Amino acid sequence: MNNGIRNPIVKIVFYAILILWGLSVLYPLLWTLLDALKNNDQFFRHAPWSLPDFPLLWSNFSYVWNKYNFDSYFMNSIIITTGSTLLGLLLAATTAYVLARYKFMGSGALYLLYIASMMVPFILALIPLFFLMNSFHLINTKIGLILVYTSSVLAFGIFVLVGFFRSLPKELEEASIMDGASYFGTFFRVMLPLSQPGLITVAIVNVLNIWNEYIVGTILVNDPTQYTLPVEIGVMQAEMQYRTEWGPLFAALFFTIVPVLLVYIIFQRKIASGITAGAVK
Amino acid sequence: MEAGSAKWQRNLFIASFIIPTFAFFCIFTIYPVAKGLYYSMFDWSGMSQTKSFIGLDNFKEMFKDPIVWRAIGNDYFLVVGKIIGIMVIATFFAVALTRFNFKMAGFFRSIFFIPNVISVVVIGVLWNFIYNPQIGFLNAFLSLFTDEKVTITWLGFTNHTIWMLLPPAIWAGIGFYMILLIAAIQNIPASYYEAAELEGATQWRQFRSITVPLIWEQMKVSILNIMMTTLNGSFVIVWIMTEGGPDNSTQVMGSYLYQMAFRQYHFGFGAAIGVLILMLSLITTVVLQRLLRHETVELS
């Protein structure tokens, strides 16, 4: 039986540490919301932790949404995240299935290549990617970002899904082939539905990573109508030096955080297991 | 012919599942990485007419550039600071939330992970606000204890500003490694701890003799992972919070690469910094693996 901590003072101290750290995480989220309801005057006159004055400036949200064009950044982020997650999932799942179940010349080496690529700093590819996309005329396009993001999530997806497919029993596929189904039919009608938990895990981790991605977005997009949310946040914060609009900045942060927080709350378990799966290479 | 056609079908299936993914991967990952190595040997401002082969001159120039040395120093400062900070705090939380019978352990675990799902850009902006000299949290808090209003420009020192980037980096990294270590601790058979309890071993003794040796593998993975993600990715938070300034004092290799390539159009030099990052992360991986393996022998 685990008795835990016996000394009451130590126990209180440990609880206090946990609670303080919890506050350090939750409080910034709360203040993001509260500060989004203030005007500049309140920022400069009152302490940062003071509550916003009445009437609350809900207009900051509509201001950012309409005047800063967050409606289109939000849509850009949604389209790009959805597109690259789905395409990445399809490409990773197909290859992962074959790597998990079929031996062919070079299959082991191919698997190792994908795994090893996770060790290579992505930043090394940044400069050539810019020129590559430029020569394809894909700078400032959603397609361009979708292609690059899709490629960047392949290795992780293959790694997790190979493991997942290997853990599934072979009998089901064999039965399906015996029944006269084609290889393709077996994959799409039998294996894909069975691997749903693995697919969801990979999809969610990818959604978070792509939604939050900044540096590729900054380099491949310089047309303001094509920005994603993190890219616009970066631009907004740089502009704060000459145009101080703190309330709208926090409203913008709020728009960026809320979708990932919702995804996190809904899929908590999947996210924790999925993210850690990638680290244990 | 029957067998031949079955074999052909199998190969067609394999090819159609392998080739699209691999083609994609070659074009958007392998080719750019290889091309990055290639560009590092050119003097190049982005236009094809001006590209000239200079061999290893970029690397020679790089080692004469004091900012590169400063960037390497800052990178390793962050690596060491993050490894110590994250490992101590994450291990403490992992043990506290599994071994100490605390109430609401699951709740704390969920909360602590939240910074890991938020974009680094957002984290950078939030911490910028904490450090803001006029309206920031830190100065407002310090002002509570002084007569005059505190107006320290926390991100404005030329010598120690890199220290200011450590708290956000640690704060944002804890949850992930905590989850990794919690999973490892939960895999330890409960009977080990029961036996230790029976013999009257304290929690500290149990931690040192059971927990650490048995989760050492995951701790090693965590340390290597912190090192790699820092060398490869710390520049985003640097770029958002200080853009490498003031006076290049917080420059890390990644941010200097970005500045040289995309602000000053020295693409060859930028690519050479990329190669440097690759080399250093490989060397550091090997060195760390050596050091940490040694440690395991001592413990067991």
Side-chain angles (χ1 to χ4, degrees):
Chain A
M1 185 55 218
N2 180 10
N3 293 327
I5 292 278
R6 270 156 282 191
N7 185 332
I9 295 173
V10 175
K11 193 157 190 167
I12 288 170
V13 171
F14 281 6
Y15 257 120
I17 297 175
L18 290 175
I19 290 169
L20 277 179
W21 193 272
L23 286 177
S24 88
V25 171
L26 288 182
Y27 183 57
L29 300 179
L30 179 68
W31 113 54
T32 302
L33 175 61
L34 292 179
D35 282 4
L37 302 171
K38 294 180 180 175
N39 61 24
N40 268 337
D41 186 46
Q42 297 176 48
F43 275 97
F44 286 99
R45 269 191 306 115
H46 302 308
W49 49 80
S50 61
L51 295 173
D53 291 345
F54 284 97
L56 300 173
L57 271 182
W58 292 105
S59 58
N60 278 341
F61 286 100
S62 54
Y63 178 76
V64 166
W65 193 256
N66 299 319
K67 289 284 163 14
Y68 271 95
N69 302 323
F70 262 68
D71 51 349
S72 61
Y73 306 140
F74 204 86
M75 272 323 284
N76 290 346
S77 271
I78 294 225
I79 293 169
I80 289 164
T81 305
T82 315
S84 17
T85 302
L86 291 179
L87 187 57
L89 210 53
L90 178 70
L91 289 173
T94 48
T95 279
Y97 174 63
V98 171
L99 287 177
R101 282 290 200 259
Y102 295 87
K103 281 259 168 284
F104 58 93
M105 213 177 67
S107 57
L110 188 62
Y111 179 66
L112 280 180
L113 178 70
Y114 284 121
I115 303 303
S117 77
M118 289 198 274
M119 310 268 291
V120 175
F122 189 69
I123 189 168
L124 182 58
L126 216 51
I127 295 170
L129 261 182
F130 172 76
F131 289 100
L132 180 73
M133 299 318 270
N134 198 23
S135 61
F136 288 162
H137 302 288
L138 289 174
I139 298 286
N140 289 330
T141 62
K142 294 185 193 63
I143 300 288
L145 277 183
I146 289 176
L147 293 175
V148 174
Y149 286 151
T150 299
S151 180
S152 73
V153 299
L154 286 179
F156 169 75
I158 289 171
F159 173 70
V160 173
L161 291 174
V162 163
F164 200 88
F165 282 124
R166 280 190 183 143
S167 73
L168 293 176
K170 279 190 180 147
E171 286 74 22
L172 288 157
E173 291 159 274
E174 282 160 7
S176 161
I177 300 268
M178 292 287 268
D179 286 348
S182 67
Y183 291 110
F184 294 96
T186 305
F187 174 74
F188 285 106
R189 276 190 228 106
V190 181
M191 296 311 282
L192 220 44
L194 280 177
S195 56
Q196 218 177 22
L199 293 174
I200 293 175
T201 303
V202 172
I204 290 168
V205 173
N206 290 347
V207 163
L208 292 177
N209 285 334
I210 296 166
W211 182 269
N212 290 335
E213 205 287 332
Y214 170 74
I215 199 78
V216 175
T218 312
I219 283 166
L220 296 186
V221 176
N222 46 47
D223 168 6
T225 62
Q226 295 298 320
Y227 284 169
T228 58
L229 287 173
V231 174
E232 167 62 12
I233 297 281
V235 170
M236 253 183 114
Q237 117 119 3
E239 281 176 356
M240 279 299 128
Q241 290 160 11
Y242 358 93
R243 127 161 113 169
T244 42
E245 293 190 302
W246 289 100
L249 178 66
F250 281 100
L253 293 184
F254 194 77
F255 281 132
T256 313
I257 299 175
V258 164
V260 285
L261 267 190
L262 287 180
V263 169
Y264 175 63
I265 291 166
I266 299 169
F267 296 105
Q268 234 198 80
R269 275 167 192 282
K270 293 262 164 209
I271 292 171
S273 68
I275 292 190
T276 47
V280 194
K281 281 172 258 205
Chain B
M1 259 343 269
E2 190 68 45
S5 117
K7 183 150 200 216
W8 192 80
Q9 271 193 359
R10 180 178 179 272
N11 287 343
L12 178 76
F13 171 70
I14 290 178
S16 65
F17 271 24
I18 290 289
I19 291 172
T21 310
F22 190 59
F24 217 91
F25 188 69
C26 286
I27 298 171
F28 297 106
T29 303
I30 297 191
Y31 170 80
V33 167
K35 202 80 191 213
L37 298 171
Y38 173 78
Y39 284 158
S40 71
M41 290 178 284
F42 286 85
D43 182 16
W44 183 35
S45 65
M47 248 85 73
S48 53
Q49 306 94 298
T50 60
K51 188 156 75 180
S52 56
F53 182 82
I54 53 168
L56 296 178
D57 281 6
N58 277 327
F59 294 92
K60 280 185 203 151
E61 195 190 328
M62 199 164 73
F63 290 118
K64 278 188 226 142
D65 184 345
I67 299 173
V68 167
W69 289 103
R70 193 151 202 187
I72 296 175
N74 283 339
D75 261 312
Y76 280 93
F77 171 82
L78 289 177
V79 167
V80 173
K82 277 173 76 176
I83 287 179
I84 295 172
I86 292 180
M87 288 314 288
V88 168
I89 301 174
T91 309
F92 170 73
F93 287 156
V95 173
L97 296 179
T98 50
R99 301 296 314 153
F100 293 171
N101 281 346
F102 278 166
K103 291 192 187 74
M104 303 203 304
F107 173 75
F108 282 122
R109 193 187 318 177
S110 311
I111 298 296
F112 290 178
F113 193 76
I114 290 178
N116 290 79
V117 301
I118 295 177
S119 177
V120 183
V121 180
V122 173
I123 288 169
V125 173
L126 288 177
W127 280 81
N128 260 350
F129 185 69
I130 292 180
Y131 290 139
N132 187 294
Q134 284 96 39
I135 58 172
F137 260 83
L138 196 49
N139 280 344
F141 179 73
L142 292 175
S143 300
L144 293 177
F145 307 101
T146 56
D147 296 334
E148 267 176 54
K149 202 169 177 297
V150 179
T151 54
I152 301 170
T153 45
W154 292 100
L155 297 173
F157 302 107
T158 42
N159 277 325
H160 301 294
T161 300
I162 192 71
W163 282 87
M164 297 295 131
L165 300 182
L166 205 47
I170 292 174
W171 178 81
I174 295 293
F176 174 80
Y177 297 99
M178 178 196 74
I179 296 281
L180 202 68
L181 296 176
I182 284 179
I185 293 173
Q186 284 173 338
N187 274 335
I188 300 175
S191 58
Y192 290 21
Y193 289 109
E194 282 159 16
E197 292 269 344
L198 281 178
E199 291 181 16
T202 60
Q203 284 287 348
W204 174 245
R205 183 99 185 95
Q206 292 179 29
F207 171 70
R208 282 198 29 211
S209 312
I210 302 174
T211 311
V212 171
L214 289 176
I215 64 169
W216 186 250
E217 206 43 51
Q218 282 79 7
M219 292 179 95
K220 210 164 86 176
V221 168
S222 304
I223 290 172
L224 286 172
N225 211 55
I226 295 171
M227 182 275 294
M228 274 198 319
T229 51
T230 305
L231 290 185
N232 301 347
S234 64
F235 69 97
V236 179
I237 198 145
V238 170
W239 196 254
I240 292 294
M241 292 186 67
T242 65
E243 292 204 359
D247 194 21
N248 288 315
S249 66
T250 55
Q251 208 75 261
V252 291
M253 290 184 281
S255 60
Y256 197 45
L257 180 156
Y258 182 84
Q259 181 178 318
M260 282 317 246
F262 295 100
R263 290 276 164 97
Q264 300 178 10
Y265 306 110
H266 294 307
F267 286 101
F269 192 81
I273 300 176
V275 176
L276 177 72
I277 296 175
L278 174 68
M279 291 303 173
L280 286 178
S281 56
L282 291 180
I283 292 169
T284 318
T285 305
V286 173
V287 170
L288 271 181
Q289 245 158 0
R290 272 277 157 94
L291 287 175
L292 298 171
R293 189 176 56 199
H294 184 63
E295 198 85 354
T296 331
V297 179
E298 270 182 8
L299 275 165
S300 58

